């Protein structure tokens, strides 16, 4: 039996049909995203939170962890859960990102949380506006309870910028390219990219800081018509490609692995890297980057000469459920309410750097040990001209794969802009089927 088949069998046998109760009468629900992890702060937080939930609800509900290789984000995670959906054996609790939810909702196996939210107006109102936008179905279904709501900015090395003659992070894309020219002359790169997550973050920034760009990223990207018909998309795509052609980007920027973007920044070869607040815990304060945290700033994206700055704001992954059993759904409901409580969202923020999806009392926020780089960007974001989702949030589930396949060919000149955007639109749509 292959390793993947073994993992699938373990998950299937761990889920089971019907209510699972312990000898004490507790309702036991399975969680496929609650395992311990020495490397993934989100998984480790989920594990510790599940233990706190078990202690609080002892005798009523209990979370039982399913160990699986696809607990964290991975290219195989969607197919893993699609196979379990076909077997009608999804876990009671697990996490998906918005693109995966778009694909999984077609299975008809995800639980709709909308009735629970409608029945409890206070709970629903505790979430930030737009927190559910990327987690909602076409008919108002709510397929997931958001885990976080983050402003995603650009980390920068203050010493490298100062050496290039910049006392602050550039506020326009023209200034950013002036910085890139100077850094190139000093043997440095302006921005570290990976051909996937980080690259599409910069694509979203270049689109979203134009008039109409936020509308494309929030709505039009899901229409699956030719994205090359949108002038903001064309302008952003060609600018991003030009950074590669001019040598402003690391040479290994097509791997599809974010660590290929993180490494040049951590070794101070690149002056900037785009990512979310979790970058601090997962990379910036590790042994791989001694002393770098003190040199690092976190800024919103520059703007075009005729507009202001902006930032990506996303809800990220959400808690989903595959159970239909009424008693298990009671336990699931109790768990997601627990995870969205003030104490837990602040505990998550301290553990991961991610920001809460719900409104939190200001005094409690001030008392919490939150990451200052991330909270600083959240404060700046309130006054920015533009806020917009990441391209993958409202884009089709096939966008990531299509981008990784087509972007290198476009940068190398094998495709022109029209052909690249036509192919990207069509392939993203077909890959999502």
């Amino acid at each position: 039996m292959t390793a993947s088949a073994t993992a699938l069998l373990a998950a299937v046998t761990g889920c089971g049909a019907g209510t699972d109760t312990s000898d004490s009468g507790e309702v036991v629900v399975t969680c496929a995203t609650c395992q311990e992890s020495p490397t993934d702060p989100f998984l480790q937080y989920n594990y510790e939170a599940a233990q706190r939930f078990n202690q609080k609800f002892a005798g009523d509900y209990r979370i039982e962890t399913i160990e699986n290789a696809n607990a964290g984000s991975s290219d195989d995670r969607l197919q893993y859960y699609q196979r379990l959906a076909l077997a009608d054996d999804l876990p009671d609790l697990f996490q998906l990102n918005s693109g995966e939810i778009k694909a999984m909702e077609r299975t008809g196996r995800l639980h709709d949380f909308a009735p629970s939210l409608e029945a409890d107006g206070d709970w629903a109102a505790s979430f930030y506006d737009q927190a559910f936008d990327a987690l909602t179905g076409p008919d108002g279904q709510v397929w997931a309870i958001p885990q976080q709501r983050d402003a995603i900015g650009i980390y920068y090395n203050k010493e490298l910028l100062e050496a290039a003659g910049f006392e602050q992070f550039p506020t326009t894309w023209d200034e950013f390219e002036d910085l890139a020219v100077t850094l190139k002359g000093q043997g440095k790169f302006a921005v570290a990219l990976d051909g996937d997550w980080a690259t599409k973050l910069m694509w979203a920034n270049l689109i979203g800081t134009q008039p109409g760009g936020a509308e494309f990223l929030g709505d039009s990207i899901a229409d699956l018509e030719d994205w090359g018909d949108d002038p903001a998309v064309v302008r952003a795509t060609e600018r991003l490609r030009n950074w590669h052609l001019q040598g402003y980007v690391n040479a290994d920027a097509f791997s599809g692995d974010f660590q290929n973007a993180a490494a040049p920044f951590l070794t101070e070869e690149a002056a900037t890297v785009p990512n979310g607040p979790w970058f601090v815990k997962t990379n910036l304060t590790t042994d791989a980057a001694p002393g770098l945290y003190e040199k690092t700033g976190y800024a919103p994206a520059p703007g075009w000469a005729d507009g202001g700055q902006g930032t990506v704001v996303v809800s990220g992954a959400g808690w989903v459920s595959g159970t239909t059993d009424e008693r298990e759904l009671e336990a699931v409901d109790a768990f997601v309410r627990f995870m969205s409580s003030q104490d837990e969202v602040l505990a998550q923020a301290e553990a991961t750097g991610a920001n809460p999806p719900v409104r939190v009392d200001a005094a409690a926020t001030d008392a919490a040990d939150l990451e200052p780089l991330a909270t600083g960007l959240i404060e700046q974001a309130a006054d920015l001209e533009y806020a917009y989702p990441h391209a993958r949030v409202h884009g089709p589930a096939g966008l990531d794969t299509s981008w990784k396949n087509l972007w290198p060919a476009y940068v190398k000149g094998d495709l022109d802009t029209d052909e690249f955007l036509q192919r990207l639109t069509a392939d993203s749509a077909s890959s999502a089927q």
Side-chain angles (χ1 to χ4, degrees):
M1 182 178 291
T2 66
S4 60
T6 301
L8 176 61
L9 178 60
V12 170
T13 56
C15 298
T19 305
D20 186 8
T21 57
S22 68
D23 292 340
S24 65
E26 289 178 317
V27 177
V28 181
V29 292
T30 56
C31 178
T33 322
C34 296
Q35 65 192 48
E36 289 186 279
S37 173
T39 59
D40 187 324
F42 284 96
L43 288 180
Q44 184 61 28
Y45 162 73
N46 292 347
Y47 169 77
E48 294 172 1
Q51 308 318 303
R52 290 191 289 271
F53 175 86
N54 287 345
Q55 183 176 15
K56 179 176 181 179
F57 290 93
D60 295 319
Y61 311 124
R62 177 162 56 85
I63 302 298
E64 184 176 274
T65 297
I66 297 173
E67 300 284 339
N68 77 91
N70 296 289
S73 179
S74 74
D75 291 339
D76 299 326
R77 185 167 75 172
L78 174 58
Q79 291 184 344
Y80 172 77
Y81 287 122
Q82 285 175 324
R83 292 196 299 270
L84 291 180
L86 285 172
D88 193 17
D89 221 339
L90 285 170
D92 302 320
L93 284 161
F94 56 109
Q95 289 180 323
L96 296 174
N97 64 40
S98 56
E100 293 165 333
I101 287 172
K102 286 181 174 64
M104 284 291 291
E105 69 180 351
R106 288 192 291 272
T107 69
R109 302 296 185 185
L110 295 182
H111 171 64
D112 180 10
F113 288 97
S116 294
L117 290 160
E118 291 168 1
D120 189 340
D122 290 341
W123 183 43
S126 71
F127 291 89
Y128 281 107
D129 295 340
Q130 290 85 47
F132 291 94
D133 282 2
L135 310 174
T136 300
D139 299 316
Q141 307 97 327
V142 177
W143 299 126
I145 301 300
Q147 184 185 29
Q148 68 217 63
R149 179 182 180 272
D150 291 316
I152 299 180
I154 302 173
Y155 290 90
Y156 64 94
N157 186 311
K158 292 182 285 189
E159 288 191 359
L160 290 183
L161 263 64
E162 290 171 3
F166 285 73
E167 295 183 1
Q168 62 181 18
F169 190 78
T171 59
T172 69
W173 294 117
D174 287 344
E175 289 178 356
F176 184 79
E177 290 190 357
D178 290 341
L179 169 65
V181 171
T182 303
L183 288 168
K184 183 179 178 181
Q186 297 174 345
K188 303 292 184 179
F189 299 111
V191 58
L193 299 178
D194 57 6
D196 184 26
W197 164 259
T199 302
K200 289 201 296 295
L201 274 172
M202 294 307 285
W203 190 57
N205 285 327
L206 285 161
I207 294 172
T209 49
Q210 298 179 66
E215 288 76 9
F216 170 81
L217 293 167
D219 296 311
S220 302
I221 195 171
D223 292 341
L224 296 175
E225 298 179 1
D226 183 4
W227 297 336
D229 290 339
D230 191 311
V233 176
V234 172
R235 190 183 186 197
T237 304
E238 292 181 341
R239 190 93 177 227
L240 183 58
R241 178 185 62 176
N242 191 58
W243 294 353
H244 289 75
L245 299 180
Q246 296 300 323
Y248 303 157
V249 178
N250 50 310
D252 56 347
F254 302 112
S255 68
D257 183 350
F258 177 73
Q259 288 308 311
N260 277 49
F265 184 80
L266 298 180
T267 56
E268 302 190 61
E269 299 170 67
T272 73
V273 64
N275 205 10
W278 51 86
F279 180 70
V280 174
K281 294 270 186 184
T282 56
N283 287 274
L284 196 54
T285 54
T286 65
D287 293 340
L292 183 58
Y293 178 85
E294 289 72 25
K295 304 177 186 178
T296 300
Y298 196 36
W304 297 80
D306 52 356
Q309 294 178 262
T311 188
V312 171
V313 178
V314 298
S315 294
W319 288 101
V320 298
S321 177
T323 187
T324 58
D325 182 273
E326 290 299 324
R327 292 193 65 199
E328 289 177 357
L329 285 172
E330 289 179 9
V332 166
D333 187 71
F335 181 77
V336 294
R337 288 170 183 268
F338 174 81
M339 295 296 277
S340 58
S341 66
Q342 177 171 284
D343 287 347
E344 282 304 315
V345 297
L346 288 175
Q348 176 186 260
E350 292 184 33
T352 68
N355 291 289
V358 298
R359 296 176 177 85
V360 178
D361 178 73
T365 302
D366 291 341
D369 184 20
L370 302 186
E371 213 298 302
L373 290 180
T375 53
L377 183 61
I378 286 286
E379 292 171 1
Q380 292 181 66
D383 297 321
L384 294 176
E385 183 171 347
Y386 296 109
Y388 37 86
H390 192 353
R392 66 164 42 169
V393 170
H394 293 284
L399 175 60
D400 288 354
T401 299
S402 301
W403 182 281
K404 285 188 286 188
N405 291 339
L406 295 171
W407 180 249
Y410 172 61
V411 171
K412 294 171 184 176
D414 296 335
L415 304 171
D416 63 22
T417 303
D418 284 344
E419 187 176 5
F420 169 68
L421 290 173
Q422 288 173 6
R423 288 275 306 276
L424 186 64
T425 309
D427 289 3
S428 296
S430 61
S431 297
Q433 301 303 316

